[in-house]
Every structure is written in C-alpha cells, then in structure tokens.
Amino acid sequence: MRFHERVDEKSRMLPWYVNEFISKKRRTLSPATLLNYCHDYIIFFDWLLAEGYFNGDRTDIPLELLNGLTVQQIEDFLTFLQFRLDNSPLTVNRKLSALKALFHYLQNIAETNDLQPYLDRNVMAKVELNQVKEDQEAIAQKMSGKILWDQEYEQFREFVAQGYGDLYKENKRRYHFHLQNRERDTAIISLILGSGLRLSEIVGLDVDDLDLKKFSARVIRKGNKEQYVFFSEQALLDLQDYLAVRKARYKLTDQIKALFVSSPMGPKGTTRRMTPRAIEKMVEKYAAEFGKPALSVHKLRHSFATRYHAENNDVPKLRRQLGHSSIQTTMIYTHLTNDELKRAVDNMDGYPSKQTESE
C-alpha cells in the first residue's frame, strides 16, 4: 500500500477538521510526514478520550473541546508521552510540533463560512518544546558505536546474502525463508549502504523509479520534493540479482509496481509492498545475528553518510545525497570522522596513538 493510501486510511480515523488539515498539507508535506502526523494525532485524541474529556467516538471530538484545553492539560499529555509511553524528549518534541502545526492551522488559516477562525484560542502556542542540549559532537559520539565501519560494510552485506543462511542450515524453516528472500534483503541493505536513502524512500520505490544505466533512483523526499539519488555499483549488482528473480519468486503480475515486496501470504498467496515495519524487522533480525543489535535502518543510512564523508570530504554533495534541508544536520558526520582530535588528546600525555605510531 502506498503511503498516500495509508494516510487516507488513518485520516478517516480522525475528526473532520484534522482530515481537512491533512488534505490541505498534501501539497507541501511528504506522505511519510503526514502519516506520522496521523499517528501522533490518534495518540492525542485517544488520550483525550481516556482522560474523560469527551464521551463518544474519536471522530466526533468537537472543536469546542480543543478551544477550551488548558496549558496544564497539555503538560499532562506531554508527561503521559514521556513517562507512560517512554518517549524520548526528541520524540515528545516531534509529537508536540505536529500538534502545534494542527492548532496553528485551526486558529490562523482555516475559517468558517462567516470568515471566523475554527479556534479562538491556541493552547499549543503557550507550550514550549523540550530543551534538548546535545551538541553535534555528543550526537556523533553516541552514533559512532551503532554504525558500520571499514570492513563491516561488506561483512554485513555478505552476512545478509550468505552468512545468515549458513548459520541456520539446520533450521529448515529459517533456512528456506532466507533462501526465499536473500536477494531481496541483500538488495535493500546494499541500496541503503550505497545511497543513504531513508526508510520511507526505500518503501516507496517502484521498479520504474530505477535507472540502472545511470545508477540512480527517483525518490520523493521530505517536503514532497522529487529527486534522483545515485547509488553505488555494488547496490546496482545486488538490485540486478533481485530483479532477475523478483517476478517469479514473488508471483507478481505486471500490475504490481512496488520494488520491494513481501513473500506470498495467505490462502491466495498474495503479495504486497513491504511496509516500513517489515523492513525494520528484517534489518533488526540480521543485525542481532551479526553481533550489532543496535544497527537499524537509520543507522545504515548513517553508515553510508560517514563513509561518504570520509572518502569524499564534500559536505554540500553529501547534504544533497541525504536530502537534508539544513547543512547543520549533515555536519554531524564531520564529527564522526574527526580522528585528528583523538590523536591530539592522546598526545597530550606523551602517549601517541597507535595510528600516529604507524604513520
């Protein structure tokens, strides 16, 4: 199912004015962002129901209720996110930002037939985001132990392609499931490691989005921007291996355009586009057996970016490749590859680092 179809499905589970907001934002926000908004809004409106602020269905929650919410009630909701749902301060900020966008629309943009705003009062404007005081250096250091380095890129790819199957040759179910999907799984891993694409961009790819002659893929980036992103030669080879078996292996008709599809399931043996969670679980499975359980889809993207910067030292090009709106986000990878600082600290006490001794 394409992202926009999932957005339609989720938005129908929300009040009419939220549905209207989602519809208005389709021109400026990516389907992946809108889907995240819908999930965040469902959590918020379900919390209102659980707290007894409205007796009825989620879709029937009136604008009047939002108009009368207090700052303390919103603070209670944020506390619920952090301590009951175990959301990090950054995740709480993201959910609060989604609500701020909705309430801003209801007060300052939407209007009734009488030219009156939907809301007279915007409580979200009175609530501040969490102050997250991690600098880029701290973020980089946290990330460094959770990504692939040096020979691990190819080692992990080889493990997905062959090593995992060798590990479970005695387990017929796991072994045959790996044989069924290893070309697909290797192509996904190789494409992320060879391009730095986001999870939503990988999920949204159709076969027709690939240009194998130009080593590029057409993707819809954040902000609903279309862009052609290059991938590596190894990714090309793994994609070709997967495409050679894709149609027959997954029993596909010409009408199914999704690049990465699930194994045939159910009595009819139907297939569908892989979901974001399916790809996440696939990566988690291989990462755990490979010995790097912290590795995730996003960490594979970080791995690509770190390697790209180390080999090319071109932040503007890396920014474009990753689709970052701000160059400050891309600058994190300059900290991940800053070995000079470590050598300087090592030398302070008269103990040169191993790298210095070998130079």
Side-chain angles (χ1 to χ4, degrees):
M1 185 183 293
R2 285 290 240 176
F3 270 113
H4 65 266
E5 293 170 343
R6 297 179 65 205
V7 170
D8 288 340
E9 175 189 324
K10 294 297 181 183
S11 64
R12 286 194 292 269
M13 300 166 65
L14 290 158
W16 66 268
Y17 46 87
V18 183
N19 212 321
E20 179 183 301
F21 168 73
I22 295 294
S23 178
K24 296 286 187 183
K25 287 295 180 180
R26 285 182 185 272
R27 290 188 297 105
T28 56
L29 296 178
S30 71
T33 299
L34 292 176
L35 185 60
N36 283 331
Y37 274 14
C38 288
H39 286 305
D40 294 339
Y41 298 150
I42 287 172
I43 292 172
F44 175 65
F45 284 107
D46 282 351
W47 178 83
L48 292 176
L49 295 176
E51 292 295 309
Y53 294 123
F54 180 73
N55 184 22
D57 295 331
R58 185 197 304 126
T59 54
D60 295 330
I61 293 177
L63 281 164
E64 290 75 22
L65 175 59
L66 305 190
N67 207 53
L69 289 173
T70 66
V71 171
Q72 186 56 56
Q73 288 169 329
I74 302 305
E75 293 290 352
D76 290 344
F77 172 65
L78 300 182
T79 300
F80 164 79
L81 291 177
Q82 186 165 352
F83 296 105
R84 294 290 297 278
L85 297 189
D86 199 26
N87 287 171
S88 69
L90 282 172
T91 302
V92 173
N93 276 355
R94 183 181 62 75
K95 288 180 165 63
L96 179 55
S97 294
L99 287 169
K100 282 178 171 286
L102 172 63
F103 275 64
H104 173 77
Y105 170 79
L106 297 176
Q107 184 191 39
N108 299 300
I109 299 174
E111 57 187 16
T112 67
N113 292 334
D114 298 328
L115 304 182
Q116 297 300 309
Y118 284 2
L119 291 184
D120 297 323
R121 179 176 163 278
N122 180 359
V123 66
M124 294 299 170
K126 302 173 183 290
V127 182
E128 296 182 356
L129 298 171
N130 289 310
Q131 293 297 315
V132 181
K133 297 184 178 180
E134 283 189 312
D135 62 14
Q136 291 179 326
E137 186 78 35
I139 294 171
Q141 291 304 313
K142 281 187 177 181
M143 192 191 305
S144 64
K146 301 177 182 180
I147 64 175
L148 298 174
W149 294 93
D150 302 321
Q151 302 304 314
E152 288 181 327
Y153 292 90
E154 182 56 25
Q155 289 170 358
F156 184 59
R157 182 197 154 276
E158 281 291 331
F159 181 76
V160 175
Q162 185 66 38
Y164 183 89
D166 293 341
L167 199 63
Y168 283 101
K169 274 191 174 179
E170 303 305 317
N171 186 321
K172 289 185 177 180
R173 186 181 66 83
R174 282 199 180 191
Y175 181 66
H176 286 298
F177 189 78
H178 179 254
L179 287 181
Q180 166 78 10
N181 296 301
R182 64 180 179 180
E183 287 89 357
R184 180 199 68 186
D185 295 352
T186 305
I188 292 173
I189 297 297
S190 194
L191 184 55
I192 301 173
L193 287 176
S195 68
L197 288 177
R198 296 181 176 92
L199 174 61
S200 61
E201 294 163 354
I202 292 288
V203 171
L205 282 174
D206 286 341
V207 174
D208 294 342
D209 292 327
L210 298 178
D211 188 331
L212 301 182
K213 292 183 179 179
K214 294 183 178 179
F215 294 68
S216 69
R218 173 188 172 275
V219 297
I220 304 300
R221 313 223 82 152
K222 285 187 175 181
N224 218 22
K225 298 175 183 176
E226 179 183 296
Q227 184 180 333
Y228 287 85
V229 179
F230 294 105
F231 49 78
S232 67
E233 184 174 354
Q234 183 61 64
L236 171 68
L237 295 174
D238 291 330
L239 281 167
Q240 287 175 326
D241 287 344
Y242 167 61
L243 290 171
V245 302
R246 171 183 168 274
K247 191 170 182 179
R249 181 80 54 83
Y250 295 94
K251 300 179 174 60
L252 302 177
T253 65
D254 292 335
Q255 283 68 45
I256 298 179
K257 300 297 184 181
L259 176 59
F260 296 116
V261 295
S262 61
S263 297
M265 297 178 65
K268 296 183 179 180
T270 56
T271 59
R272 61 172 182 164
R273 183 185 301 270
M274 288 186 77
T275 65
R277 185 58 191 139
I279 293 180
E280 286 176 331
K281 289 175 67 176
M282 180 267 288
V283 172
E284 289 166 5
K285 176 186 73 175
Y286 290 121
E289 297 294 349
F290 183 70
K292 297 201 74 160
L295 200 59
S296 63
V297 176
H298 205 57
K299 296 303 185 298
L300 293 178
R301 173 173 156 88
H302 289 322
S303 299
F304 162 81
T306 304
R307 187 178 190 181
Y308 184 100
H309 178 69
E311 294 182 359
N312 298 288
N313 193 24
D314 192 328
V315 174
K317 285 184 180 177
L318 177 57
R319 174 191 177 187
R320 184 188 183 282
Q321 179 75 17
L322 295 175
H324 286 159
S325 58
S326 168
I327 200 166
Q328 294 303 315
T329 307
T330 318
M331 291 298 290
I332 290 172
Y333 303 104
T334 66
H335 296 285
L336 274 165
T337 55
N338 188 4
D339 293 328
E340 289 79 9
L341 179 60
K342 182 179 186 304
R343 288 202 294 271
V345 173
D346 288 341
N347 288 333
M348 285 176 64
D349 292 328
Y351 298 103
S353 67
K354 293 179 181 179
Q355 185 170 350
T356 304
E357 292 176 330
S358 63
E359 287 177 348

